[in-house]
DNA sequence: GAGCACTGC
């Protein structure tokens, strides 16, 4: 096709007409033009619309007309730039960090001195540790972490450089006699240059040792501003930014880039790199246009700072109902507020109440089921009120209390309010208590319901608000003595639901196919796929990758991102990165995306209709995690994830009939699926005598309550009358399972509290300490066995923690040892908290390490004697209490050398009934520590002696 | 020789 015809076709395509003189004119101007932009400018002068289509046209035209030399030279220039950039980057990477002289050096030296002063000897350190205030302690930990990273980087740097040097030498030796292509030679030279730069940089480093730490995404307590920025950004409600028009434009843009790349493929041989460059060019160009427009928008926002906050507040759906709502609160002591997400209830109601003066009589408490929610909402409200977070508006969560005497609006996790009940059972410092997200029915919310209901009857000056997102509030209303219901409409987009025609045999396969279908046939918008667990997510990821690999660039780019709770945080953060132009994000998620985190830009949801749910069997004391169908409420919640920014679609991988007939209306509340040991202890300490008569909204199974009471009795936390003993009262202070707090109390007698607390903290974070990636499973196992201690898993955990502490809490040590940094860090936080509580209940913490491991094991016997199992002649373990057959979990260090008597930390049902975390015990100890529970004949060992060795293997 | 949904104190 000749140029003129081509232009003429384009003209017709864009303007709907084609005149010969225009064609000529265009050809002329574009020959002179030096860039596509210049052509574009001329074209718009000539009444072309200034849009994507014209831009593409201009670019195509420029590519067609410019003499190849020009393009190549411009390519070379930009290539040169790219090379330089790469050199810089790689050199940086090699040396790890940028130099920021002087200040960093000084800071670093100061830090060194300060820490040296604080940490003289190990013993001194412990002593100091206890003397320090919370803030100092945190600061020290933080500083030590930074130092340890510096230390690591220092050591790493020469190693890296050395490695690179040897690599270069190898290359030179191996390829000495071979003929190299031009590119290979260039590559080699480039590498040499990078090496030189790195060396040079390293030299500078010796002069000025300094590093800049990367900004952490989360859990960075040293840098609260960064942290709150993330929180704040996350909380600000998503506005319907992408209009239909914009979506359409975006789609057109994608096509344009796409077509462009595809068309030039014919020339690929000659201009392999040229092509790449051109495509980038288009993308960059687009970005520029985009960023310009968004830039001016944000400028405008900055100009109007101040008033817009109030304006924004008035724009929320709840604003219209402000006066009616306040009147309703005035007239009723208990009010149920129904409002969907986006109505603004969480942030606005406490502010309204403050505005009309409720805070004169006491604080306003607002509970959230999750820590992040409490923090981010508090950050938002303090911003709206223009006060500093922690002053008038604050939050209180475990490990972190950001409130002061000034605080009048306090956001806190529901568990925290429950703890406050223990200090002040009448909550006298509060004038309003708002239980938010009540529909989630967490364990703590359910208990608060019972306590608050009672309290509302007793305290006439207390206002209680129960806020929920469900429309089914009749039950709630009748529970709270027929409290009135106030409904606030929500603001979200329509989501269309699609069901399968017939039940799917393999939902994973179906999910993958649906994803691909959406990807090729639906307009832009990210996809969120709900699956049940990590394993499935990894499988789906694999399947999607293999199936798209063959298609190459025939379909648009698909970015597959997994998300689940145990995924390392840097990988988790990736899902919040914006989707690049022309690509589609596919997020494979567990339930975590249902409530805990929201991802913007999701237009399509695929819902497999299942989730993993834990349940507790009080008879055997066994927990199990089983894949179960979700409830209708959950299905709606999942679908709602598609309608946050624009109208969306939800593809349900089950039939409409199943939805209507097979799914439960609501999920089973947590209180009916869990061990209630700790809860019963709390309620007892609040003076509730008859738990069976406690006013639960959905009472737990009586067996569960009875088992919990029995356990507490056997632990001597309750007396014969079922009253709390002195021991029990002290145990209730600890936010851990009563069996565990009993161990701590016992350890007090043996003088090994320090060790026992460490173990309890490690046990509390669950079995997520050891990281075991599939591809390096064997390696990880070997390292884990390196930590093994003969006593069993508890002592192994103690060993892990101590070694971690030796490494100054280094995260690099964790990486090398296949330990999950996040988990062990959390264990350390828990440990700190438990140590603090020990002081409060006057439990002495030993300063010197306890040398007798048996004392540590005996402490655990006194708490966990119910969980005794004996190896029988059959080679199987049976629990002593009800002769239930159980197995040692293969992850245990005792797996290869089964002892006769063990106590286990927990029983889990997966493929078999496994005991997780076991220690070897002497049956004599059990008799000694729990004489009321065991009889001598229970613990006789006769059958075993006749056994030939290794029979059980 | 195996498997860890998600929270929270």
């Amino acid at each position: 096709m000749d140029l003129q015809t081509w232009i003429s076709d384009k003209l017709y395509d864009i303007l709907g007409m084609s005149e010969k003189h225009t064609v000529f004119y265009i050809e002329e101007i574009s020959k002179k033009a030096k860039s596509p932009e210049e052509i574009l400018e001329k074209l718009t002068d000539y009444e072309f619309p200034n849009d994507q289509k014209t831009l593409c046209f201009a670019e195509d035209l420029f590519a067609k007309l410019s003499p190849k030399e020009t393009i190549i030279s411009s390519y070379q220039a930009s290539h040169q730039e790219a090379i330089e950039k790469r050199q810089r980057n790689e050199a940086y990477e090699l040396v790890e960090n940028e130099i920021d002289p002087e200040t960093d050096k000084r800071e670093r030296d100061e830090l060194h001195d300060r820490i040296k002063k604080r940490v003289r000897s190990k013993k001194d350190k412990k002593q100091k540790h206890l003397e320090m205030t919370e803030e100092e302690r945190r600061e020290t930990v933080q500083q030590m972490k930074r130092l340890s990273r510096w230390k690591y980087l220092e050591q790493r740097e020469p190693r890296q450089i050395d490695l690179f040097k040897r690599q270069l030498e190898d290359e030179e030796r191996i390829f000495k006699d071979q003929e190299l292509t031009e590119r290979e030679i260039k590559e080699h030279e480039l590498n040499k240059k990078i090496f030189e730069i790195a060396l040079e940089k390293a030299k500078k480093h010796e002069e000025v040792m300094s590093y800049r730490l990367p900004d952490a995404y989360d859990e960075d307590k040293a840098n609260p501003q960064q942290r709150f920025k993330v929180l704040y950004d996350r909380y600000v409600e998503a506005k319907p930014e992408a209009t239909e028009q914009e979506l359409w434009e975006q789609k057109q843009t994608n096509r344009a880039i796409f077509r462009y790349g595809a068309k030039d493929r014919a020339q690929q041989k000659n201009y392999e790199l040229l092509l790449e460059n051109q495509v980038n060019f288009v993308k960059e160009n687009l970005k520029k246009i985009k960023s310009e427009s968004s830039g001016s928008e944000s400028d405008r926002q900055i100009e109007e700072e101040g008033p817009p906050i109030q304006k924004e507040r008035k724009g929320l759906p709840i604003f219209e109902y402000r006066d009616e709502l306040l009147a309703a609160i005035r007239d009723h002591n208990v009010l149920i507020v129904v409002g969907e997400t986006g109505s603004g209830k969480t942030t606005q109601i406490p502010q309204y109440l403050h505005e009309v003066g409720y805070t004169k009589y006491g604080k306003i408490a607002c509970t959230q089921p999750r820590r992040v929610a409490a923090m981010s909402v508090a950050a938002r409200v303090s911003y709206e009120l223009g006060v500093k977070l922690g002053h008038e508006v604050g939050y209180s969560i475990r490990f972190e209390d950001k409130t002061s005497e000034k605080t009048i609006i306090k956001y806190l996790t529901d568990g925290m309010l429950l703890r406050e009940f223990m200090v002040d059972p009448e909550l006298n410092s509060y004038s309003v208590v708002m239980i938010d997200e009540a529909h989630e029915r967490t364990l703590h919310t359910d208990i608060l319901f019972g306590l608050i209901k009672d309290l509302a009857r007793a305290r006439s000056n207390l206002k209680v608000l129960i806020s929920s997102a469900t429309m089914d509030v009749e039950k709630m209303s009748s529970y709270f003595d027929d409290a009135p219901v106030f409904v606030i409409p929500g603001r979200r987009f329509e989501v269309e639901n699609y069901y399968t025609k017939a039940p799917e045999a393999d939902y994973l396969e179906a999910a993958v196919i649906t994803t691909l279908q959406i990807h090729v046939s639906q307009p832009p918008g990210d996809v969120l796929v709900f699956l049940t667990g990590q394993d499935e997510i990894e499988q789906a990821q694999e399947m999607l990758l293999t199936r798209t690999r063959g298609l190459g660039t025939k379909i648009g780019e698909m970015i597959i991102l997994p998300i689940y709770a145990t995924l390392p945080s840097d990988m988790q953060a990736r899902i919040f990165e914006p989707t690049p132009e022309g690509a589609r994000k596919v997020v494979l998620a567990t339930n975590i995306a249902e409530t805990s985190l929201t991802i913007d830009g999701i237009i399509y949801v695929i819902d497999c209709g299942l989730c993993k749910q834990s349940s507790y069997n009080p008879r055997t004391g066994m927990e199990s995690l089983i894949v179960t169908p979700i409830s209708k409420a959950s299905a709606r919640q999942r679908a709602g994830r598609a309608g946050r920014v624009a109208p969306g679609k939800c593809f349900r991988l089950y039939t409409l009939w199943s939805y209507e007939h097979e799914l439960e209306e609501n999920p089973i509340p947590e209180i009916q699926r869990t061990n209630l040991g700790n809860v019963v202890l709390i309620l007892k300490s609040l003076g509730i005598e008859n738990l069976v008569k406690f006013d639960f909204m959905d009472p737990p199974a009586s067996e569960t309550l009875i088992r919990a009471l029995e356990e507490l009795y056997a632990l001597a936390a309750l007396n014969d009358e079922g009253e709390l003993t002195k021991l029990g009262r002290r145990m209730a202070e600890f936010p851990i399972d009563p069996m565990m707090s009993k161990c701590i109390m016992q350890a007090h007698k043996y003088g090994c509290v320090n060790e026992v607390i460490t173990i309890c903290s490690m046990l509390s974070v669950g079995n997520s300490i050891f990281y075991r990636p599939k591809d390096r499973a064997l390696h990880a196992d070997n390292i884990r066995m390196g930590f093994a201690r003969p006593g069993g898993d508890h002592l192994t955990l103690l060993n892990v923690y101590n070694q971690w502490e030796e490494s100054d809490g280094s995260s690099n040590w964790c990486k090398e040892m296949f330990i999950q940094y996040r988990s062990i860090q959390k264990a350390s936080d828990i440990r700190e908290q438990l140590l603090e509580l020990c002081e409060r209940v006057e439990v002495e913490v030993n300063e010197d390490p306890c040398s007798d491991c048996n004392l540590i094991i005996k402490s655990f016997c006194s708490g966990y004697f119910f969980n005794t199992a004996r190896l029988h002649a059959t080679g199987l373990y049976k629990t002593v209490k009800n002769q239930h057959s159980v197995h040692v979990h293969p992850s245990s260090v005792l797996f290869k050398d089964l002892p006769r008597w063990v106590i286990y930390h927990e029983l889990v049902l997966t493929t078999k009934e496994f005991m997780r975390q076991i220690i070897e015990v002497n049956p004599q100890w059990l008799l000694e520590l729990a004489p009321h529970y065991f009889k001598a004949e229970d613990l006789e060992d006769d059958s075993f002696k006749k056994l030939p060795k290794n029979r059980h293997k």
Side-chain angles (χ1 to χ4, degrees):
Chain A
M1 197 191 291
D2 73 35
L3 189 64
Q4 291 200 353
T5 338
W6 184 77
I7 296 178
S8 155
D9 280 355
K10 284 280 167 185
L11 270 181
Y12 194 78
D13 186 28
I14 297 171
L15 296 178
M17 54 98 181
S18 166
E19 284 169 48
K20 216 170 173 189
H21 73 271
T22 318
V23 174
F24 177 70
Y25 173 72
I26 291 174
E27 201 182 332
E28 278 313 294
I29 58 153
S30 42
K31 267 181 195 157
K32 287 181 212 146
K34 289 202 185 67
S35 71
E37 281 93 333
E38 258 184 56
I39 302 182
L40 180 68
E41 214 180 295
K42 289 277 165 23
L43 287 177
T44 46
D45 284 346
Y46 215 68
E47 287 180 355
F48 271 76
N50 187 356
D51 65 7
Q52 203 52 51
K53 227 171 180 178
T54 319
L55 176 65
C56 287
F57 174 43
E59 274 156 358
D60 283 6
L61 197 57
F62 182 72
K64 269 187 192 296
L65 284 172
S66 307
K68 276 170 196 157
E69 296 77 36
T70 326
I71 298 184
I72 289 170
S73 75
S74 87
Y75 157 69
Q76 276 171 345
S78 73
H79 189 60
Q80 192 57 39
E81 206 175 290
I83 288 175
E84 275 167 23
K85 200 169 158 199
R86 202 186 129 200
Q87 281 174 350
R88 275 200 306 275
N89 282 346
E90 290 193 11
Y92 278 141
E93 223 167 78
L94 220 56
V95 188
E96 276 286 340
N97 280 288
E98 270 181 79
I99 297 179
D100 183 12
E102 297 306 315
T103 43
D104 265 15
K105 182 178 156 51
R106 210 174 46 237
E107 191 188 340
R108 188 181 141 94
D109 290 345
E110 272 174 24
L111 210 59
H112 246 305
D113 284 341
R114 254 163 47 212
I115 291 184
K116 250 186 218 154
K117 257 182 232 157
R118 274 194 204 159
V119 194
R120 280 258 164 63
S121 67
K122 190 129 200 220
K123 197 174 165 187
D124 194 32
K125 175 181 155 194
K126 288 243 163 83
Q127 187 56 35
K128 283 272 175 196
H129 203 62
L130 291 171
E131 281 170 16
M132 273 185 244
T133 67
E134 176 72 6
E135 209 168 302
E136 276 174 343
R137 195 174 302 165
R138 230 177 244 155
E139 199 192 337
T140 315
V141 169
Q142 207 47 250
Q143 286 170 350
M144 277 160 58
K145 277 186 206 155
R146 291 177 71 184
L147 265 189
S148 108
R149 178 162 167 80
W150 274 332
K151 228 160 65 191
Y152 165 78
L153 288 174
E154 246 172 73
Q155 287 164 0
R156 182 195 135 113
E157 190 182 304
R159 272 214 313 270
Q160 286 296 104
I161 292 179
D162 188 52
L163 200 76
F164 198 73
K165 189 178 159 197
R166 267 185 287 165
Q167 199 181 319
L168 276 175
E169 284 167 1
D170 279 353
E171 272 177 24
E172 270 175 31
R173 206 182 53 243
I174 295 166
F175 298 116
K176 198 171 56 187
D177 305 323
Q178 289 183 26
E179 210 173 298
L180 296 175
T181 64
E182 205 177 324
R183 223 182 84 208
E184 281 168 330
I185 293 170
K186 267 191 186 155
E187 190 96 317
H188 184 70
E189 265 161 17
L190 182 63
N191 280 343
K192 256 161 93 180
K193 195 139 184 221
I194 291 173
F195 176 62
E196 278 162 23
I197 296 177
L199 262 188
E200 201 181 308
K201 262 180 120 33
K203 229 185 250 165
K204 270 192 211 156
H205 264 233
E206 274 165 28
E207 293 158 18
V208 191
M209 279 311 291
S210 58
Y211 296 95
R212 201 171 70 197
L213 288 175
D215 293 337
Y217 164 71
D218 65 358
E219 284 153 30
D220 183 1
K221 287 169 186 162
N223 190 356
Q225 265 166 353
Q226 177 70 17
R227 184 150 152 254
F228 283 111
K229 187 179 174 304
V230 175
L231 290 175
Y232 175 75
D233 289 349
R234 247 204 251 180
Y235 187 72
V236 171
E237 308 230 351
K239 286 188 208 81
E241 275 164 3
T243 58
E244 285 287 338
Q245 173 65 22
E246 278 164 9
L247 285 179
W248 180 84
E249 273 175 18
Q250 204 182 337
K251 185 179 152 197
Q252 294 300 314
T253 320
N254 296 346
R255 276 220 198 125
I257 294 168
F258 191 52
R259 214 170 41 197
Y260 194 37
K263 194 165 57 158
D264 277 3
R265 183 146 311 116
Q267 304 176 0
Q268 203 160 343
K269 266 192 188 145
N270 302 338
Y271 301 106
E272 193 183 341
L273 290 163
L274 178 66
L275 172 72
E276 196 182 58
N277 198 34
Q278 280 179 341
V279 174
N280 274 340
F281 181 60
V282 174
K283 279 187 184 166
E284 272 160 19
N285 211 328
L286 289 176
K287 255 189 216 148
K288 211 165 82 196
I289 291 173
K290 262 222 132 148
S291 68
E292 263 166 25
S293 65
S294 68
S296 63
E297 215 174 82
S298 64
D299 284 348
R300 225 177 302 136
Q301 270 177 0
I302 289 164
E303 271 168 36
E304 290 171 16
E305 184 125 34
I309 307 172
Q310 296 310 322
K311 215 168 134 193
E312 222 174 285
R313 283 187 63 195
K314 284 177 187 164
L316 288 166
I318 194 172
F319 182 73
E320 290 176 47
Y321 303 89
R322 181 177 183 272
D323 298 335
E324 284 171 66
L325 179 68
L326 286 171
I329 294 171
R330 187 191 60 218
D331 298 339
H332 304 276
N333 277 355
V334 182
L335 184 69
I336 292 162
V337 181
V338 178
E340 279 187 55
T341 29
S343 61
K345 55 184 163 53
T346 311
T347 53
Q348 302 307 305
I349 294 179
Q351 290 188 61
Y352 294 163
L353 292 169
H354 167 59
E355 282 158 17
V356 295
Y358 279 93
T359 43
K360 279 180 208 149
Y361 313 107
K363 288 179 279 186
I364 297 173
C366 179
T367 72
Q368 295 292 320
R370 274 169 296 279
R371 296 159 52 95
V372 212
M375 284 156 71
S376 49
V377 175
R380 171 73 191 177
V381 172
S382 72
Y383 168 75
E384 285 185 8
L385 283 177
V387 298
K388 207 173 155 214
L389 182 62
H391 288 187
E392 284 81 359
V393 181
Y395 65 87
S396 170
I397 56 180
R398 190 187 190 182
F399 310 132
E400 206 179 347
D401 184 3
K402 211 159 176 73
T403 58
S404 59
E405 285 114 54
K406 280 197 231 166
T407 305
I408 42 175
I409 299 180
K410 179 167 170 182
Y411 288 91
L412 68 178
T413 43
D414 44 15
M416 254 347 230
L417 188 62
L418 197 55
R419 286 275 152 189
E420 287 196 9
F421 257 102
M422 289 174 68
V423 184
D424 175 12
E426 296 205 322
L427 298 182
N428 280 315
S429 61
Y430 295 99
S431 61
V432 182
V433 173
M434 173 169 168
I435 311 282
D436 202 6
E437 314 287 349
H439 60 278
E440 285 194 30
R441 304 289 309 276
T442 68
L443 177 61
H444 292 150
T445 306
D446 267 21
I447 298 158
L448 283 177
F449 278 168
L451 295 171
I452 289 267
K453 179 179 175 179
D454 198 46
L455 187 62
R457 288 174 181 161
R459 261 190 68 187
S460 58
N461 59 347
L462 180 75
K463 296 290 177 187
V464 176
L465 294 170
I466 309 290
S467 122
S468 159
T470 342
M471 293 309 280
D472 174 38
V473 281
E474 272 169 40
K475 185 173 168 189
M476 245 174 227
S477 168
S478 68
Y479 173 77
F480 281 102
D481 302 325
D482 295 315
V485 177
F486 196 96
V487 182
I488 304 158
R491 186 168 60 183
R492 68 164 53 170
F493 295 90
E494 284 289 310
V495 176
E496 281 179 277
N497 288 316
Y498 296 83
Y499 297 87
T500 53
K501 277 183 191 158
E504 286 296 330
D506 181 353
Y507 64 86
L508 197 60
E509 172 85 20
V512 168
I513 292 172
T514 315
T515 311
L516 292 172
Q517 271 174 5
I518 291 174
H519 187 50
V520 295
S521 68
Q522 298 285 321
D526 298 336
V527 185
L528 174 62
V529 188
F530 280 103
L531 296 170
T532 62
Q534 179 182 350
D535 209 39
E536 263 178 34
I537 287 174
E538 279 165 2
Q539 271 184 53
Q541 193 174 3
E542 194 100 334
M543 282 159 84
L544 281 170
L545 280 175
T546 45
R547 281 179 208 193
T548 47
R549 198 171 290 147
L551 297 172
T553 48
K554 274 184 216 134
I555 57 168
E557 194 191 346
M558 190 158 83
I559 300 168
I560 304 165
L561 298 169
I563 177 96
Y564 44 85
T566 50
L567 193 73
S569 3
D570 51 332
M571 309 254 276
Q572 285 192 357
R574 285 180 57 209
I575 65 162
F576 297 113
E577 287 167 12
T579 318
E581 300 272 349
R584 192 193 293 273
K585 198 152 78 176
V586 175
V587 180
L588 306 173
T590 58
N591 259 2
I592 193 170
E594 198 176 299
T595 49
S596 307
L597 52 89
T598 46
I599 311 155
D600 284 330
I602 299 292
I603 304 285
Y604 309 99
V605 163
I606 299 172
D607 171 18
C608 70
L610 300 164
C611 72
K612 276 191 187 165
Q613 200 172 46
S614 82
S615 57
Y616 173 73
N617 180 342
R619 215 170 39 79
T620 53
M622 185 148 40
E623 277 180 20
S624 48
L625 198 60
I626 292 165
V627 176
T628 2
I630 57 172
S631 65
K632 283 185 200 174
S634 297
R636 277 194 294 270
Q637 172 73 18
R638 287 180 174 189
R641 292 287 156 180
R644 279 179 48 83
V645 287
K649 288 177 182 172
C650 174
F651 299 86
R652 290 179 169 158
L653 302 177
Y654 40 90
T655 59
L656 179 59
W657 193 89
S658 298
Y659 175 77
E660 281 173 349
H661 299 93
E662 289 179 339
L663 299 190
E664 293 289 332
E665 203 57 51
N666 288 302
I668 302 166
E670 193 184 354
I671 199 165
Q672 296 181 339
R673 302 185 276 114
T674 181
N675 176 3
L676 294 177
N678 193 27
V679 165
V680 168
L681 193 58
I682 289 176
L683 290 177
K684 277 282 173 194
S685 78
L686 287 172
I688 289 146
E689 277 152 31
N690 192 341
L691 283 173
V692 183
K693 282 196 182 155
F694 184 77
D695 197 356
F696 291 107
M697 187 182 243
D698 286 298
S702 52
E703 286 96 356
T704 316
L705 280 175
I706 289 165
R707 163 133 183 161
L709 288 168
E710 273 174 6
E711 276 181 11
L712 288 172
Y713 173 72
L715 290 171
L718 299 178
N719 64 16
D720 292 346
E721 314 286 317
E723 292 159 346
L724 206 62
T725 60
K726 207 179 159 201
L727 177 73
R729 194 158 290 285
R730 294 167 90 190
M731 281 164 60
E733 290 287 326
F734 292 94
I736 45 175
D737 198 85
M739 283 148 100
M740 234 189 243
S741 41
K742 175 68 189 290
C743 299
I744 296 176
M745 303 311 291
Q746 188 70 24
H748 177 44
K749 288 182 191 158
Y750 294 136
C752 55
V753 174
N754 210 329
E755 284 79 9
V756 169
I757 280 189
T758 305
I759 297 171
C760 288
S761 313
M762 290 291 268
L763 290 170
S764 299
V765 295
N767 53 344
S768 56
I769 293 285
F770 295 102
Y771 176 54
R772 194 170 181 272
K774 260 188 198 146
D775 47 335
R776 279 175 297 168
L778 230 74
H779 191 46
D781 285 349
N782 283 335
I783 287 182
R784 195 183 56 208
M785 287 313 281
F787 285 111
R789 284 289 170 273
D793 298 312
H794 294 61
L795 296 176
T796 305
L797 287 174
L798 176 64
N799 184 26
V800 171
Y801 186 87
N802 285 341
Q803 287 201 29
W804 179 67
E805 221 179 31
E806 294 274 316
S807 82
D808 282 336
S810 147
S811 68
N812 287 304
W813 180 86
C814 290
K815 254 183 211 152
E816 278 165 38
M817 294 300 170
F818 287 86
I819 302 290
Q820 301 229 33
Y821 180 69
R822 230 186 337 171
S823 304
I824 203 161
Q825 180 65 51
K826 194 176 165 198
S828 162
D829 284 342
I830 295 174
R831 200 181 113 84
E832 294 294 324
Q833 191 192 23
L834 294 181
L835 284 172
E836 221 167 276
L837 287 168
C838 278
E839 209 173 310
R840 181 134 54 118
V841 295
E842 288 165 353
V843 166
E844 233 173 84
V845 181
N846 53 312
E847 283 179 22
D848 301 312
C850 165
S851 53
D852 187 357
C853 287
N854 284 349
L855 291 181
I856 300 172
I857 297 175
K858 277 170 90 174
S859 303
F860 276 92
C861 286
S862 84
Y864 284 87
F865 53 83
F866 313 89
N867 295 356
T868 311
R870 182 172 70 162
L871 186 61
H872 278 251
T874 50
L876 283 175
Y877 279 95
K878 278 190 176 164
T879 57
V880 171
K881 196 188 176 196
N882 43 18
Q883 298 296 309
H884 197 84
S885 292
V886 288
H887 305 261
V888 174
H889 197 277
S891 66
S892 169
V893 295
L894 295 178
F895 184 72
K896 289 200 173 128
D897 188 18
L898 302 175
R900 293 176 199 180
W901 292 92
V902 295
I903 57 172
Y904 54 85
H905 175 245
E906 60 182 353
L907 215 51
V908 288
L909 173 68
T910 47
T911 48
K912 278 185 198 164
E913 287 143 324
F914 285 112
M915 300 181 282
R916 214 150 50 188
Q917 319 286 23
I918 57 173
I919 347 179
E920 177 174 7
V921 294
N922 180 340
Q924 279 309 311
W925 297 341
L926 296 169
L927 263 183
E928 180 192 325
L929 289 160
H932 52 295
Y933 191 76
F934 292 108
K935 287 185 218 113
E937 60 257 37
D938 285 338
L939 302 171
E940 267 169 22
D941 218 2
D942 49 356
S943 63
F944 205 87
K945 284 172 193 156
K946 295 163 201 156
L947 261 182
K949 246 193 169 176
N950 290 338
R951 165 82 185 274
H952 53 272
K953 279 187 181 167

